[in-house]
Amino acid sequence: MHQMIAPTPPMGWNSWNTFYDQINEELVFEIADAMCELGLNALGYEYIIIDDCWQSRMRDVEGRLVADPEKFPHGMKYVADYVHEKGLKIGIYSCCGTRTCANYPGSFEHEFTDAKTFAQWGIDYLKYDNCHRPESLRTPELYHRMSMALRNSGRNILLAACQWGRDDVHRWIRSSGAHTFRSSIDITDSWNSIANIAWAQLENQAYNGPGCFNDMDMLVVGMHGISINPETNMGGCTDTEYQTHFALWCMMNSPLIIGCDIRQMSPETRKILCNKNLIAINQDPEVRGCYKVDVFQNPDAFILIRPLSGGDYAVGFFNFSDVAADISLHFWDMGLSYHSGVALSFYDCIEDEDLGVVEELLTKKVEAHGCKVFRCTIVEK
């Protein structure tokens, strides 16, 4: 029986946010080593994704993509073998257009050749971008092409459609065979970027499901403005804002693709990215979407509620305002009346503590740009 490639949102690391075009095989090896030494692999972070700028500027005489010989002198299969020996998986980047976003060869009209090449190298994941595509062709056709090529390459390769949320991508992407789809413009290392993406994607929760996930872009957790990428380096966020960012991505079923230099993680960054309680919500086997509950007289705050397997619920309090706010969840807003004979047992997923059984109403003060996330179990009163 064929095994589903992405039963839950993919987890891993990507080179773009921090390293831009300064990538090479030594960096990939060190990241693979760090993934294992820090225990990230044991938490589910399994993909190491090499983004744009890995290629030579021209294809070879047989029309195949070639790795830059200075950055990757041993070739991509050698790099893939090293990553696989660590028990990890490797990802690579291409584009549906004639050139990539950084002006390297794209896969337009080379889809089957490139898919076969990636399979021969041992690639497990393809980030497929949307630059320099012919305007006369519809986007769905171009993603259908690469999906077909990958599915017939002889290897299971995850297709991450980096389509930027254009052309109502959420309405057709699942039928293309892609496993994730970018639903927004690129994220930057700033609170405004995180907040804007989250607000915009609340209405797309219904389009998540096993095998195909709404990708809200890579994580900027822990970057703190330390990046050579002029497109993403916007000064950084506070650890409180990074915690909210991670919690939102977990609650909303986004892939968890780390973008910081994991070799230089602070203790607080590691704590955020290694939160087993939040990861368990993101990786819940039912991968249900969440729904939004408004907060009384506070348009900058909201509550997300998500059914989990086994009858539990994930509940997130989010405060996007610039001042602390009291956020209250009335249990009847999630279908639990006072006369039901049951109450909720709350576990704080961030503080890692049991809050006990609560009836009818829970109120918490949430700091500016902060959050609270709980795992709730229904219990008899």
Side-chain angles (χ1 to χ4, degrees), residues 240-265:
T240 295
E241 291 165 343
Y242 285 140
Q243 177 65 81
T244 300
H245 169 31
F246 188 72
L248 283 164
W249 266 232
C250 286
M251 285 289 293
M252 295 172 71
N253 270 326
S254 180
L256 301 179
I257 307 297
I258 299 170
C260 70
D261 184 352
I262 61 173
R263 304 169 302 176
Q264 308 294 330
M265 285 194 298

Side-chain angles (χ1 to χ4, degrees), residues 78-377:
Y78 181 87
V79 176
D81 288 345
Y82 186 95
V83 171
H84 290 150
E85 287 172 6
K86 293 285 182 178
L88 301 168
K89 296 179 180 179
I90 188 164
I92 209 163
Y93 169 99
S94 191
C95 191
C96 71
T98 56
R99 309 293 289 180
T100 72
C101 298
N103 201 30
Y104 290 85
S107 289
F108 180 70
E109 296 288 1
H110 293 84
E111 291 87 357
F112 275 83
T113 298
D114 291 354
K116 185 176 180 180
T117 299
F118 297 149
Q120 290 171 343
W121 288 346
I123 299 299
D124 305 294
Y125 179 118
L126 174 64
K127 177 179 175 181
Y128 203 48
D129 220 333
N130 196 30
C131 286
H132 299 293
R133 61 179 178 82
E135 291 298 328
S136 59
L137 289 178
R138 296 171 59 251
T139 312
E141 180 180 345
L142 299 179
Y143 284 90
H144 290 161
R145 282 188 186 184
M146 182 52 85
S147 177
M148 183 182 295
L150 291 175
R151 287 169 173 271
N152 289 274
S153 68
R155 184 176 180 84
N156 285 340
I157 300 176
L158 186 154
L159 175 56
C162 185
Q163 199 266 352
W164 320 330
R166 297 188 175 183
D167 303 324
D168 290 327
V169 62
H170 54 282
R171 297 186 182 277
W172 53 264
I173 193 66
R174 177 176 288 275
S175 62
S176 77
H179 302 95
T180 70
F181 61 97
R182 271 283 303 284
S183 51
S184 67
I185 60 173
D186 289 359
I187 195 169
T188 65
D189 189 12
S190 69
W191 168 249
N192 284 340
S193 177
I194 293 166
N196 289 339
I197 289 173
W199 277 124
Q201 295 313 310
L202 285 171
E203 64 185 32
N204 284 339
Q205 280 294 287
Y207 296 97
N208 274 315
C212 190
F213 296 97
N214 182 1
D215 180 1
M216 292 159 56
D217 208 358
M218 297 166 283
L219 296 165
V220 295
V221 175
M223 288 178 61
H224 288 295
I226 303 172
S227 167
I228 63 172
N229 189 337
E231 297 180 14
T232 58
N233 190 349
M234 296 298 166
C237 302
T238 66
D239 285 327
T240 295
E241 291 165 343
Y242 285 140
Q243 177 65 81
T244 300
H245 169 31
F246 188 72
L248 283 164
W249 266 232
C250 286
M251 285 289 293
M252 295 172 71
N253 270 326
S254 180
L256 301 179
I257 307 297
I258 299 170
C260 70
D261 184 352
I262 61 173
R263 304 169 302 176
Q264 308 294 330
M265 285 194 298
S266 69
E268 186 59 34
T269 294
R270 187 173 178 181
K271 181 181 178 183
I272 293 170
L273 292 173
C274 296
N275 186 313
K276 294 180 180 179
N277 300 318
L278 293 180
I279 291 172
I281 292 171
N282 180 262
Q283 296 291 301
D284 186 80
E286 286 195 21
V287 288
R288 299 280 179 181
C290 51
Y291 61 91
K292 175 175 170 282
V293 174
D294 293 327
V295 174
F296 181 66
Q297 292 185 334
N298 189 342
D300 294 321
F302 59 91
I303 298 168
L304 294 181
I305 299 173
R306 174 175 166 179
L308 302 174
S309 56
D312 284 358
Y313 282 79
V315 175
F317 290 10
F318 296 95
N319 178 18
F320 279 21
S321 69
D322 295 331
V323 295
D326 287 326
I327 297 180
S328 297
L329 171 65
H330 297 271
F331 294 174
W332 54 78
D333 283 332
M334 57 186 297
L336 199 63
S337 71
Y338 182 75
H339 297 290
S340 62
V342 297
L344 290 175
S345 175
F346 280 82
Y347 191 88
D348 190 319
C349 293
I350 295 175
E351 299 301 326
D352 206 21
E353 62 181 6
D354 193 344
L355 302 183
V357 176
V358 183
E359 298 182 22
E360 191 175 9
L361 171 73
L362 179 72
T363 300
K364 289 290 182 180
K365 184 175 287 295
V366 181
E367 61 186 308
H369 302 177
C371 70
K372 301 279 187 182
V373 181
F374 311 99
R375 190 179 187 106
C376 303
T377 302

